[in-house]
Amino acid sequence: MTTTPIPTTLLSITIRTATGEWPISEVPGWHLEIIPEAWDGPGTQARLRANWEGTETTHAGLVVHRKAPGAMQRVLIPAMFYGDNGTGNRGTHYPRLGPRDERAFTAPGWDFAAERTPLPAVFLWTEETCAWLACEPHGTGVGFNRDGDTPELRVHRPGLEAPFRYDRLDESPSLPLQEVHPGTALELIVWYGDAPADDPDAYAPVQRALQTSWGGATPRPIDPKRLEAASEAAEDALLRDHYRDAFGPGVLVETVSFDRREVRDEMHVAWISGAPAAYGLLRHARRTGDAEGQVAAAKVLDTVAGGLAPCGAFWGIWTPRGWRAGWNGNPRTLHARTLSEATLFMTRALALEPHHPNWRKAVRSNLDFCLRAMNDEGHPGSYYQAQTGAVLDRRGTAGLLWAAALAEAGTLLDVPAYREAAVRVGDAYASAIREGTLLGAPEDIGLCPSSEDGYNAVISMIALHTLTGDNRWRDLARAAADWMLTFRWSYNVRFPVGSPLARRGFQTRGADAASPSNNHLHAYGLICQPELRRLSALLSDPWYADRAADHLACFLGEVPLRDGALGGRERRGMMSEQWYTVNWSREGRAGEAAPVSHAWCLGLLLFAADDWLGDLTLPAGNEKKKVMPQSTDTPLIPGVVMERPRVKRHAAGSARTRGPFLPPVPDHPHPVRLLPGFYQIGGGYLSHPRDAASYLLLDEASGDSIMVDCGSHSGLPALRNNVNQVADLSKVRMVIGTHGHWDHVEAFGHLRSEMDARFAIHERDADAVRNGDPDLTCAGFLYNEPFDPFEIDILLKGGEHFTIGDYMLEILHLPGHSPGSIGVLLHYARTDQTILIPGDAVQGAFGRQIRSNLTSWKKSMQRLMQDPPDLMVPNHLPGNAQTALLADVPNRLARIYSQLQTDFLNFMDHQRT
């Protein structure tokens, strides 16, 4: 074995201990070997071995540093960092560049565990070079720092997470050390090299070489029989669990929990439901001769086609309460990616079934809108005002998919203006593709880069090449594909032993990281599988088609062919949206997958499977099964269910089960721990169906606690039991009523004698409680129950603060639902996050008898939207929904504000007075 002198101009090696970090030459007992290894890729491969020659076991870590000459221009860590990582939006919380600020999650340098990145490598461009440094996966990490005179790249074993850990439950730095016994060593294989400073794609050959070296260049195998079976199961789940048409238009509700208790009963026109999912269903149903699937898909596309905003573009979301804009934070702002994706897949559906005049009309209306939005440079904009169509923002590349929609529709409809506009849009975004500055595609994360930006770029560049034959679009498609593949996993993560993904042998190679803002894996890359395969054919390079195969193969095993096949409550065909390689949030811990089925996952799986399996013609002898659904522009009569023909035959034991949605029997009452010292102890199935949500904040050292709302006497036995399972009822020091309604506070009159607690409520609801008013407390006219009045100990005005354990409680006066409605804003000391307990201030009903005021409510909502909390908890648990810490609060508030949440207005106002 030979050793090589340390290349001090390139690498420096340090040892980390519990007390600090020093050059290895300055730490007694350590001896470094650098062993060159054979390597066919760019740069150099070496094995670093830090031998421990001490006499006792120690704990240490190995860090490899590399300086890059010149001022830093750009940095890339696959799936984690792109340039400065964009600005996101007000509600996104993810690593970005800037002065160190824990609350803003910004810092001049970052380190990440390798399991957060598809390729543990860092690329750093300066004025003089593109320097890169990579390490082997598993138990390692990668990072950079631009602080100081010279920017730095680094890799480490064990992997560090600093200055903040990217885990929404614990963002403290993670600085682990490895146990090292005498005579053993810390080892790390590294790769490093340089590329020209003006080469924005320097990562592409490195990624290929590393993945090939790790044995991941050969595509994962796809069994056609398994693919057919998974497609049939996915279609079953899409129609059984997501499709709805009993009360009006055909829709694909976006999410259904595996236990079927929670349903998001809305449908985006694209992006996470709508036209792409319906197109996948339509194409699959036509290939297999399934009349039922064809009818359902056509009705969903009819619904999308009928949802045109005043500006002429699609609305973003269908809901049972009407159309609205989307998840971009503004209830009247439309997002370019959602609109263009819906238009593209509506165009593709029209190519399959040209006898739908309403689809044609919708496509043309949207493309004409796009033409009006384009500026002189051909930029179609990213955000639009729904009423006027005015372009509100042109930043980012959210409008990129308009190029594909214009190109494909221009050919299908033979409209030269669309074809010419497609080229202009492509030209407007070409520099962003060449320079790798794509961002802004998912409307819920704002100006943040994501894998979805890459999908859109690949689809659009291939569409432009198909339209024009110009190879510059092919070359841009290759650049876009290389950038997009930085999000695609090049190796298989080792999940925690016993975790769900470990138990079922899930392999990450081929999966895509969603974005730096959403630290999970997803299957959205299925949307551009045809384009990746086409790109390989154009370039005579199998790399891109092989990576498309990896992506499809990765998720085939995630479609259960029977109920409970994945070890949980999933039913046949249900498919998750999120898989977790590392701890990220309460819902996402390493080795888990979200237990929720998503319509877009199933629809895109059908789309990709059919692309893989071949053309759309029916097998010989199946022509008689083909039924062409007749679409109409006339809406269905509410309450009338169209009889659907049942043509498709299924294997024994796999027959579909249709019918009304029937949730299972709720669990027995129990407390739910949301965070350390924070519990939900009442509401819905936790205490009684008529109870509102109740929460307990506990000082785990003293045992003292504060309760927020306490429900009614109906759930009192369960409430007592739930509190006593986690605390001591006699040590509840205060009960805060969010407002004076029976279902929130009536139980206190029965509990006062059992605990030494004071009762606090806003002064404007206090008289209703003191007097037991049957109307103002809702007790009489709504619940037909008595309200035993009780005295108030603390009159709140708003602005008060109370402290218990790790929580500081801030009282927010949020009138609207009732005059004295409040929210309790928790400031959680361990993570510096804020959590809103809203009572009914956010999602309560309105009625004259309870002195609701819509104007006041709007002001309260505007106040919350101006400075939204990090998290929120439910006020009720309708339909046996689970309690949870709810993220995405800015978008939740915007959606609620746009709906006005007046579902019970007529009911309440028509009660007896």
Side-chain angles (χ1 to χ4, degrees):
M1 180 182 295
T2 60
T3 61
T4 300
I6 300 173
T8 54
T9 57
L10 290 176
L11 304 179
S12 60
I13 318 300
T14 58
I15 288 291
R16 290 182 52 251
T17 70
T19 57
E21 182 177 333
W22 299 271
I24 190 169
S25 59
E26 298 178 10
V27 185
W30 290 96
H31 171 66
L32 177 67
E33 295 176 279
I34 299 182
I35 306 162
E37 298 190 333
W39 168 241
D40 293 331
T44 301
Q45 175 178 325
R47 182 183 299 270
L48 307 181
R49 181 176 295 154
N51 297 289
W52 174 234
E53 299 173 348
T55 59
E56 296 181 358
T57 297
T58 188
H59 292 81
L62 185 66
V63 185
V64 181
H65 307 255
R66 184 176 183 199
K67 299 290 187 181
M72 184 174 120
Q73 304 293 310
R74 175 182 166 213
V75 67
L76 188 153
I77 296 177
M80 290 307 301
F81 239 97
Y82 294 81
D84 61 3
N85 247 10
T87 57
N89 62 31
R90 188 173 57 196
T92 51
H93 189 64
Y94 68 98
R96 287 169 290 151
L97 280 182
R100 178 167 173 164
D101 184 338
E102 183 175 2
R103 187 170 182 83
F105 226 57
T106 57
W110 288 88
D111 289 286
F112 303 103
E115 288 79 8
R116 294 198 189 275
T117 173
L119 186 81
V122 54
F123 301 83
L124 198 152
W125 286 261
T126 71
E127 301 151 317
E128 302 179 27
T129 187
C130 171
W132 59 271
L133 177 63
C135 65
E136 60 188 310
H138 311 306
T140 60
V142 59
F144 70 94
N145 193 352
R146 73 170 185 182
D147 218 4
D149 297 332
T150 306
E152 176 186 86
L153 307 80
R154 51 182 175 248
V155 294
H156 24 76
R157 178 185 295 280
L160 312 177
E161 298 228 316
F164 318 118
R165 185 183 344 202
Y166 192 13
D167 180 352
R168 292 173 172 176
L169 292 188
D170 181 3
E171 293 176 352
S172 60
S174 176
L175 306 173
L177 298 173
Q178 185 171 319
E179 187 174 72
V180 188
H181 299 287
T184 63
L186 285 170
E187 286 196 4
L188 183 62
I189 301 175
V190 300
W191 294 262
Y192 56 94
D194 291 276
D198 60 355
D199 181 3
D201 303 323
Y203 49 81
V206 176
Q207 177 165 8
R208 280 202 190 201
L210 286 174
Q211 185 163 344
T212 300
S213 175
W214 297 340
T218 302
R220 294 177 59 174
I222 296 175
D223 180 355
K225 292 183 178 179
R226 180 66 173 80
L227 190 56
E228 285 278 24
S231 298
E232 182 174 316
E235 185 194 12
D236 281 352
L238 199 60
L239 294 173
R240 180 193 65 225
D241 296 311
H242 293 271
Y243 179 64
R244 304 281 194 275
D245 72 348
F247 302 107
V251 297
L252 293 171
V253 296
E254 289 177 354
T255 61
V256 180
S257 61
F258 282 175
D259 60 11
R260 304 186 81 203
R261 292 179 178 177
E262 297 182 58
V263 178
R264 183 191 292 155
D265 62 348
E266 57 192 29
M267 178 182 73
H268 274 76
V269 297
W271 180 38
I272 52 173
S273 192
Y279 172 76
L281 175 60
L282 179 66
R283 179 173 167 168
H284 174 79
R286 286 174 57 87
R287 184 177 67 83
T288 60
D290 180 8
E292 182 180 6
Q294 292 178 63
V295 169
K299 289 177 69 177
V300 173
L301 289 162
D302 285 343
T303 299
V304 174
L308 295 177
C311 66
F314 289 125
W315 279 112
I317 305 177
W318 175 92
T319 79
R321 298 157 293 279
W323 288 97
R324 53 188 176 82
W327 283 3
N328 55 71
N330 188 313
R332 290 293 178 265
T333 298
L334 302 173
H335 189 254
R337 187 278 186 83
T338 302
L339 307 184
S340 57
E341 187 176 286
T343 307
L344 173 64
F345 280 88
M346 185 73 73
T347 300
R348 292 177 174 182
L350 187 63
L352 289 182
E353 297 191 353
H355 59 279
H356 295 272
N358 55 328
W359 300 0
R360 184 183 302 267
K361 177 182 176 182
V363 166
R364 296 204 62 150
S365 180
N366 275 272
L367 295 181
D368 291 343
F369 163 81
C370 178
L371 295 185
R372 294 192 299 272
M374 290 171 60
N375 64 9
D376 292 342
E377 289 76 38
H379 198 302
S382 298
Y383 294 92
Y384 315 105
Q385 211 285 331
Q387 301 294 322
T388 66
V391 177
L392 303 176
D393 198 340
R394 295 189 190 272
R395 293 177 299 167
T397 55
L400 220 168
L401 210 55
W402 281 123
L406 287 161
E408 294 192 20
T411 300
L412 178 68
L413 303 177
D414 193 20
V415 180
Y418 294 163
R419 297 195 292 268
E420 294 165 5
V423 173
R424 291 179 60 212
V425 172
D427 285 334
Y429 289 116
S431 62
I433 295 173
R434 283 192 297 267
E435 297 164 9
T437 54
L438 301 166
L439 77 171
E443 66 177 68
D444 62 336
I445 62 173
L447 290 172
C448 172
S450 76
S451 56
E452 297 173 46
D453 293 282
Y455 309 151
N456 296 346
V458 171
I459 292 170
S460 288
M461 295 306 102
I462 291 295
L464 289 171
H465 181 270
T466 303
L467 176 70
T468 66
D470 188 337
N471 281 340
R472 70 183 177 113
W473 303 119
R474 177 203 63 187
D475 295 339
L476 283 169
R478 174 169 51 190
D482 287 337
W483 187 90
M484 181 268 286
L485 289 175
T486 64
F487 291 86
R488 188 150 295 176
W489 232 257
S490 60
Y491 65 95
N492 290 319
V493 169
R494 296 168 183 168
F495 293 111
V497 175
S499 65
L501 295 183
R503 288 198 304 269
R504 62 183 186 245
F506 178 76
Q507 296 182 333
T508 58
R509 203 192 89 199
D512 281 356
S515 70
S517 179
N518 286 321
N519 196 205
H520 60 73
L521 310 185
H522 71 178
Y524 215 141
L526 296 172
I527 200 170
C528 67
Q529 177 176 271
E531 286 77 15
L532 286 177
R533 297 175 71 196
R534 174 66 177 155
L535 181 60
S536 273
L538 291 172
L539 297 170
S540 299
D541 180 354
W543 177 257
Y544 302 100
D546 289 349
R547 304 293 72 80
D550 283 348
H551 194 64
L552 180 57
C554 177
F555 296 106
L556 275 185
E558 294 299 291
V559 181
L561 302 184
R562 56 178 175 79
D563 292 356
L566 303 181
R569 296 184 177 183
E570 66 284 340
R571 301 182 67 195
R572 179 176 185 269
M574 282 185 160
M575 185 177 178
S576 180
E577 180 207 20
Q578 299 181 6
W579 294 261
Y580 303 98
T581 62
V582 285
N583 293 341
W584 180 57
S585 65
R586 181 175 180 271
E587 292 79 17
R589 314 308 285 171
E592 297 177 354
V596 180
S597 179
H598 286 253
W600 71 259
C601 296
L602 301 175
L604 290 185
L605 181 79
L606 295 177
F607 167 68
D610 273 63
D611 177 74
W612 190 270
L613 289 167
D615 69 56
L616 297 172
T617 57
L618 294 173
N622 274 7
E623 288 80 0
K624 63 184 180 181
K625 295 181 180 180
K626 186 174 177 180
V627 177
M628 301 300 290
Q630 297 301 309
S631 177
T632 175
D633 290 323
T634 304
L636 294 173
I637 301 172
V640 175
V641 182
M642 188 179 84
E643 183 64 28
R644 294 194 291 255
R646 296 182 180 274
V647 176
K648 188 172 181 181
R649 286 171 169 75
H650 297 265
S654 66
R656 293 191 188 132
T657 55
R658 298 278 196 270
F661 176 70
L662 297 173
V665 176
D667 295 338
H668 293 295
H670 59 277
V672 175
R673 181 179 183 267
L674 300 172
L675 288 171
F678 183 29
Y679 300 85
Q680 183 168 352
I681 40 90
Y685 66 95
L686 300 185
S687 56
H688 190 276
R690 296 200 295 184
D691 277 353
S694 301
Y695 296 93
L696 189 79
L697 296 150
L698 174 65
D699 182 337
E700 294 177 324
S702 68
D704 292 340
S705 61
I706 293 176
M707 195 184 299
V708 180
D709 283 342
C710 54
S712 70
H713 69 263
S714 300
L716 193 53
L719 184 80
R720 286 192 186 99
N721 179 65
N722 292 344
V723 172
N724 285 325
Q725 284 190 52
V726 298
D728 185 341
L729 188 65
S730 67
K731 299 189 74 173
V732 177
R733 303 307 183 197
M734 178 187 295
V735 175
I736 299 173
T738 59
H739 58 295
H741 290 172
W742 182 88
D743 55 326
H744 286 259
V745 299
E746 189 266 346
F748 184 79
H750 305 271
L751 283 170
R752 185 186 286 277
S753 62
E754 302 175 35
M755 55 188 183
D756 182 23
R758 295 179 294 168
F759 183 81
I761 198 167
H762 194 275
E763 60 184 5
R764 295 188 63 189
D765 272 14
D767 284 344
V769 172
R770 286 194 188 102
N771 302 325
D773 188 295
D775 285 343
L776 296 182
T777 64
C778 296
F781 89 98
L782 185 58
Y783 293 103
N784 196 28
E785 291 276 3
F787 188 106
D788 295 329
F790 53 83
E791 285 303 313
I792 310 300
D793 302 295
I794 301 174
L795 291 175
L796 302 173
K797 296 179 180 291
E800 295 85 357
H801 295 82
F802 306 95
T803 300
I804 188 81
D806 291 323
Y807 299 89
M808 190 271 282
L809 288 65
E810 180 182 358
I811 306 300
L812 307 180
H813 184 207
L814 302 172
H817 173 64
S818 75
S821 287
I822 65 166
V824 181
L825 187 66
L826 308 180
H827 298 261
Y828 182 37
R830 297 193 190 185
T831 63
D832 198 27
Q833 289 176 298
T834 53
I835 306 159
L836 178 65
I837 302 177
D840 285 348
V842 171
Q843 286 184 276
F846 300 90
R848 284 188 292 271
Q849 281 182 267
I850 59 174
R851 294 189 296 173
S852 298
N853 187 302
L854 198 57
T855 301
S856 297
W857 179 81
K858 288 181 178 180
K859 291 179 180 178
S860 296
M861 290 294 289
Q862 289 164 1
R863 173 186 178 186
L864 290 174
M865 289 189 289
Q866 287 172 1
D867 187 18
D870 298 308
L871 301 165
M872 191 166 69
V873 290
N875 59 327
H876 286 268
L877 297 178
N880 301 318
Q882 295 286 2
T883 185
L885 286 170
L886 305 174
D888 192 32
V889 176
N891 289 318
R892 289 179 186 275
L893 294 174
R895 294 199 301 272
I896 292 165
Y897 187 78
S898 68
Q899 296 164 14
L900 295 184
Q901 288 295 315
T902 56
D903 298 357
F904 300 118
L905 178 61
N906 289 334
F907 170 72
M908 297 189 74
D909 279 348
H910 283 81
Q911 302 306 302
R912 59 183 175 84
T913 58

